[in-house]
Amino acid sequence: MSVSETAEKINSMEVRGALRIAVEAARALEEELVNGASYDELVRAGDVLRDARPTAVSLPNSINYVLHLAESHKDNDPVVAKPMLLADISDFISKLEGSLDKIAEYGANLIEEGDVLLTICNSHTVTEIMKRAWADGKRFKVYACETRPRLQGHITVKDLQATGVDVTLIVDSAAYHTMIHKDVKKVFVGADTVYSNGDVINKIGTSQVALTAKHSGAEFIVCTSSIKFSPFSVHGEVVEIEERDASEVAELPGVKVFNPAFDITPKEHVNMIVTEDGVIPPEAAYQVLKDRFGWSLG
Amino acid sequence: MSVSETAEKINSMEVRGALRIAVEAARALEEELVNGASYDELVRAGDVLRDARPTAVSLPNSINYVLHLAESHKDNDPVVAKPMLLADISDFISKLEGSLDKIAEYGANLIEEGDVLLTICNSHTVTEIMKRAWADGKRFKVYACETRPRLQGHITVKDLQATGVDVTLIVDSAAYHTMIHKDVKKVFVGADTVYSNGDVINKIGTSQVALTAKHSGAEFIVCTSSIKFSPFSVHGEVVEIEERDASEVAELPGVKVFNPAFDITPKEHVNMIVTEDGVIPPEAAYQVLKDRFGWSLG
Amino acid sequence: MSVSETAEKINSMEVRGALRIAVEAARALEEELVNGASYDELVRAGDVLRDARPTAVSLPNSINYVLHLAESHKDNDPVVAKPMLLADISDFISKLEGSLDKIAEYGANLIEEGDVLLTICNSHTVTEIMKRAWADGKRFKVYACETRPRLQGHITVKDLQATGVDVTLIVDSAAYHTMIHKDVKKVFVGADTVYSNGDVINKIGTSQVALTAKHSGAEFIVCTSSIKFSPFSVHGEVVEIEERDASEVAELPGVKVFNPAFDITPKEHVNMIVTEDGVIPPEAAYQVLKDRFGWSLG
Amino acid sequence: MSVSETAEKINSMEVRGALRIAVEAARALEEELVNGASYDELVRAGDVLRDARPTAVSLPNSINYVLHLAESHKDNDPVVAKPMLLADISDFISKLEGSLDKIAEYGANLIEEGDVLLTICNSHTVTEIMKRAWADGKRFKVYACETRPRLQGHITVKDLQATGVDVTLIVDSAAYHTMIHKDVKKVFVGADTVYSNGDVINKIGTSQVALTAKHSGAEFIVCTSSIKFSPFSVHGEVVEIEERDASEVAELPGVKVFNPAFDITPKEHVNMIVTEDGVIPPEAAYQVLKDRFGWSLG
Amino acid sequence: MSVSETAEKINSMEVRGALRIAVEAARALEEELVNGASYDELVRAGDVLRDARPTAVSLPNSINYVLHLAESHKDNDPVVAKPMLLADISDFISKLEGSLDKIAEYGANLIEEGDVLLTICNSHTVTEIMKRAWADGKRFKVYACETRPRLQGHITVKDLQATGVDVTLIVDSAAYHTMIHKDVKKVFVGADTVYSNGDVINKIGTSQVALTAKHSGAEFIVCTSSIKFSPFSVHGEVVEIEERDASEVAELPGVKVFNPAFDITPKEHVNMIVTEDGVIPPEAAYQVLKDRFGWSLG
Amino acid sequence: MSVSETAEKINSMEVRGALRIAVEAARALEEELVNGASYDELVRAGDVLRDARPTAVSLPNSINYVLHLAESHKDNDPVVAKPMLLADISDFISKLEGSLDKIAEYGANLIEEGDVLLTICNSHTVTEIMKRAWADGKRFKVYACETRPRLQGHITVKDLQATGVDVTLIVDSAAYHTMIHKDVKKVFVGADTVYSNGDVINKIGTSQVALTAKHSGAEFIVCTSSIKFSPFSVHGEVVEIEERDASEVAELPGVKVFNPAFDITPKEHVNMIVTEDGVIPPEAAYQVLKDRFGWSLG
């Protein structure tokens, strides 16, 4: 898919999901390179792609990584350098594509026979983990928050139910009561962005679930590829929380609505983050960022 | 209104609201007495009324109080006793009817110019407080949780808006984020039942809001008439949390839904309870119960 | 039983248990009175009894109450006063003797079908509660801490097992792990002394269990007659924590041992106290003391 | 002292200290009565006195109590009523004057041999407690916060030192560090006002000391006469925190200064309140108010 | 010692202690290699050793590390490779053997003159630290929990006492009371396993001591070689908590006993871990694992 | 400046500020080297400099780093090695000098339009951050604690005011009240030393501000160059908290004063540390130390 086509599909949300976006952006640059693009053209292609979705951190992360690879080869003999670069990009894409599988494996290991789990929103990573554990023969219960205003919890419930996972829907405000009275042991959630200090940005309601998990003795487990860790946060850049349209919440003429799309869960309420690099404490976010994007943090 | 008519209207929820139920039950017994009922007939009338709504504590509280008055007069000369009893019952009804006004006055005093408030569900007591403070000339902001699954928050929003109070609707899961980022100072909620140790039963989601209030530094204020304090809890009797129909939450065929109607907020998350007897710490619930229903606590 | 005999049996611990001690002391004074003792002789008898066990608060509470009754009659015509006094003392003893039954009833009401409970030490009040709930047909599990160094938990386990209650023994240090992994919902313990601010003195280990209960989301419920509430604490008098002999812990020659017999659980870790006057928050201790011993608080 | 003279001395702070103010106001009304004032003149005298210091709760409490006494006698034969009223007022004054002694006794009982104590500001009640305990032969250490901006801690230090108490001065910001590293066991502070829900208003810095006490395992003990409990707070009336002049903090031309004189310590950080009625949990504030000022809470 | 002999001694617990096990396993493989074992034979020897004690993480860690070294040399000329491999193994063993000394040095540095310490169970690492600090001339007190059911605290007490360290035995349930009333400043414990997110598995009771340390203001310090850090936990594998025989706790026929051998202390209750690589926050566990076992985490 | 001159100026505090000290010490060694000093002479010069200020960690860190560079070149041909060494030292000094700028940039990014900030003491790093954010056009409020006993807050206030930043002075004990009532969102402080486990040593009062920030929902942000991270703490060495003269606090003859200059903020109260390497969680301190001073941690 060409750069412009990819940018368009990312913009129109035809290509969605942080991991998919990262993969498609890298592929578009790869194709550009195959088609003979120079380093400078690649940089410009990166700019086009980057503008397609200004808020998702996986997009600039992927583009910057490919450009970083390109830059490190740029002064070498193109005959030798180009195949090496293409191989590097291909490796990067493979690793991205394989990350979901790794996280599913590690996350499924964390689920124990007889567990009671809870989740909020619809994280593909989280449902993969649960389905993997179920396929491994473990039996457990899942409570899924409906996740107002857009009710993504319905997708979660249908997806899990289709594979036979024992899942029950609750309203968001019943999360704490359910944790206490149904003996929830672990909460699994996805992430939108992970800050360098370990704080986690995710769907509105997540920080509330994390606080209540801590107070009811449940573990709070974030599941996400490291492509969503923000190198920008290393420089202190903060994500502006998107406020969405009132109509998502209610069609009440003249009624004011405050509709934030995300919130921030502080690191001290997160027991662990499951990444393709393994199970880490949130505080290892900085190390992961240095290992992966250290070249860009100068 | 006759006993049977009252019982029917309470049962069909034509008569609703804890205070209204208490008043109408007392009135029905009063009418019975005027019509010449004996003490034993009054007791039987009480049984009929009591069965009309087994879960609301204000109903047996009101009936038992009237019967207690009747009993204390029962061995006296009816010519003298009956007018005295009717006067006592009339006093009791007046006090019940006046309690909302008192709570509105005391609660409104707690609101300060420039405050940011939050509420969940639709408590008539809470909206009265806010409207009173607004009428007193104080200017403040209110955030109202929509209160899934039945969206009683919409009633709250419309009610406040109609009197000009500056109110904004949020989804339930945005309560914590709103408290932190909009500097919420005080949370006002109603109550369904208050236990003798100060724990408060209220609409599902309340305990979650109380916990998040504590963690964001906001005061959590329960507003309720003492007719909802449970003398049964003095004897260790616990309220069974009602589980309501799945269809209230979602129409998803085959999907399991857990839909508890209430939850329990522990006393340590409650800063104060505003009653018609004044502003009390939740731990004074036992004292209020002894003062009011001590005769029944044997 | 004569005053001297009673004093001796209390001293030798033949008469033991706070409630039994209180009852026997009151009975000894009653007998003294029947035998013609004057008010001053009664006061002296009280001194003898009081010295039999200097640390148990129920003993002076009982004696002081009887003397208070005696004093209020002392200036009246003995022919009238004595029978009235004897009747008052008899009432007091009946109430004391009935208190265990009341607490058992109220405490049993707090136990719900399917509950998982935990207790430490051997409280007759607590085992009565559990046996009553079991006899009521409720089915639940109990974990009992062995309660080093004297292993009173063994008595608890055998006592419960004899009536068929499903009980399991654990070492004291497994309490927190058990609460989390076995979903303990409620902890029931007795009390040695209750302070006027609601703090509770009980067997060493209790404060640790209370803290862990709070952190694992379990309710911490103290069960005790109000005869153990300390009027002395109203005046700021503190109980000196008894340190017992090293040999209770280990026979290791030359090894230093610190063996405190009790500890203090702060009110904020106590959800409720079950007394014969009902279920109260710990903070109502002062009110209970005023209601019962107000005459002595001058 | 006449009403106008008393009012002037209260206004000019020649008469200061909540207890002294209460006593002198009651005495002025007593004198007025002796001089033949009618009930209406007494009410007007009360108004004059009340205006002398609008923020101290002990002043209206004292005046209202005396007027309440006067009102209850007002319709009786003055020949009989006046001496009775004067006796009642005299009793009230005696009780006020004796309250410091009671609190000193109860508070001193709470101090144990070898204790390490901490205090902030200069509370006459607190220093009396410490001096009483020291006079009782107990040996302990005291850390006194200097209490910026007016350095009332210097008065505390000199006062304690003059009676030989082992006292050490610290800056306010060293309170937490001192608690941890010098093993502070108990913090004693006075109070300006106690709310009906148990919250305590006292000198700026108190709420910070209370929080750090809780986190370092020290008990936080408020010492105050019940004349400072606010009946107005029963009706939800809140105290406006006084902001004092910038020059108290620093003489820096053009520099903005925020100089609040008081802050509010929430009840959950207060272990007990020592009053002349004994040691109570803060949550018993409502009960104390009802016992003392119940007639005014209607 | 041959592989089979070593395996047997590990299995029979003649060789015990995580570090000793790791050293002996490495030595057995070294000897195998000296005796001419091929790479495949070494792998099989590793399997034999691994099966000797399935739950101790130091055993597979040591075996895997030696096999990793062997694998990296396996395709080279044996004449050159074998001496290099033997040198590498020898280095590894030296480092293992030296780690206790390093930890003792670093841990002893953390002890300050006049400290009051507490420990649970018998950790050789912890006693080495205390003995080293004592030998350095520092004077401090130690409280040792008896550690039911196997009373390993007795070994701790005797070991410390033999070198003159001032040590006192307590029952496990007295830990919290002792921390508060004896001003415990630091708790030192060993570890069985450290998870990649910083959670620590250790003897039953440890998590309870950690919680109480946090609440009494004491530091909680884990002391352990990095050979006990679990690379398996990076992949989400959880340790199943061993349940041991009832007879260890009590010989009460027919009595059910729950006897878990270990528990899990969450990272937020751990102030630091002292390893041979220095003093680290628990959250650095992932970094240590990557530095040491990164080759195996692929 | 010569080594002896530099040492003298550091000793007399003419050269002050951790970063300046580090730079000047490195420069003195650089000059020594330019003047022909041998490696051994350099080591001795390091000793002289190190003694000039025994407590500041940036001084030995800088010296040790330069000596480490020197050592790595010491066995090479001086003709080649010396210029290389001088270049390395020059790089090191540049990086040191540039670190303030980096921290200012990253820290300023963390400040958001409309924020309310609070600081204690006078940290040049913190004021640079605030001035940078202000210069970027962001508008916010700052509350500055006066910082007894030496009132460094006055310097902060004047410095910020001179650049137009909206700053208000408060007494130290008003920090908690201000956080709650003025909606403080973020606290920025400097650091004296950072431990390898993430604990932070800073001016007395800092740990109290951190605790109150946590309880009022404000973020606590430490701003410091990594030159203040302590490699000594990796080995368990603890900083002895300096106690300064009584006269700094008050001139009260015969009055004991406890005047600690610093305190320790535990890692769990620190949201992030802003360093020249980016924004890190405090728990990444160990990683930063390994990256920077790993050669010295052997």
Side-chain angles (χ1 to χ4, degrees), chain A residues 180-181 183 185 215-217, chain C residues 180-181 183 185 214-217:
Chain A
I180 293 173
H181 292 276
D183 302 319
K185 294 275 177 268
H215 276 262
S216 67
Chain C
I180 295 173
H181 293 275
D183 302 319
K185 293 277 178 265
K214 192 181 172 79
H215 276 262
S216 67

Side-chain angles (χ1 to χ4, degrees), chain D residues 180-181 183 185 215-217, chain E residues 180-181 183 185 214-217:
Chain D
I180 293 172
H181 292 276
D183 302 319
K185 294 275 178 265
H215 276 262
S216 67
Chain E
I180 294 173
H181 292 275
D183 302 320
K185 294 274 177 268
K214 191 181 173 80
H215 276 262
S216 67

Side-chain angles (χ1 to χ4, degrees), chain D residues 218-260:
Chain D
E219 290 191 321
F220 188 82
I221 302 167
V222 174
C223 307
T224 182
S225 164
S226 63
I227 200 74
K228 298 201 206 159
F229 286 43
S230 165
F232 312 109
S233 67
V234 176
H235 295 171
E237 290 177 29
V238 293
V239 174
E240 205 178 333
I241 300 296
E242 180 189 354
E243 293 186 24
R244 298 177 61 88
D245 200 71
S247 63
E248 268 189 10
V249 177
E251 298 284 7
L252 295 173
V255 167
K256 286 198 286 189
V257 176
F258 173 53
N259 184 19

Side-chain angles (χ1 to χ4, degrees), chain D residues 100 122-129 131 159:
Chain D
L100 177 59
N122 178 249
S123 156
H124 182 46
T125 311
V126 167
T127 53
E128 280 307 295
I129 286 171
K131 279 146 62 169
D159 185 11

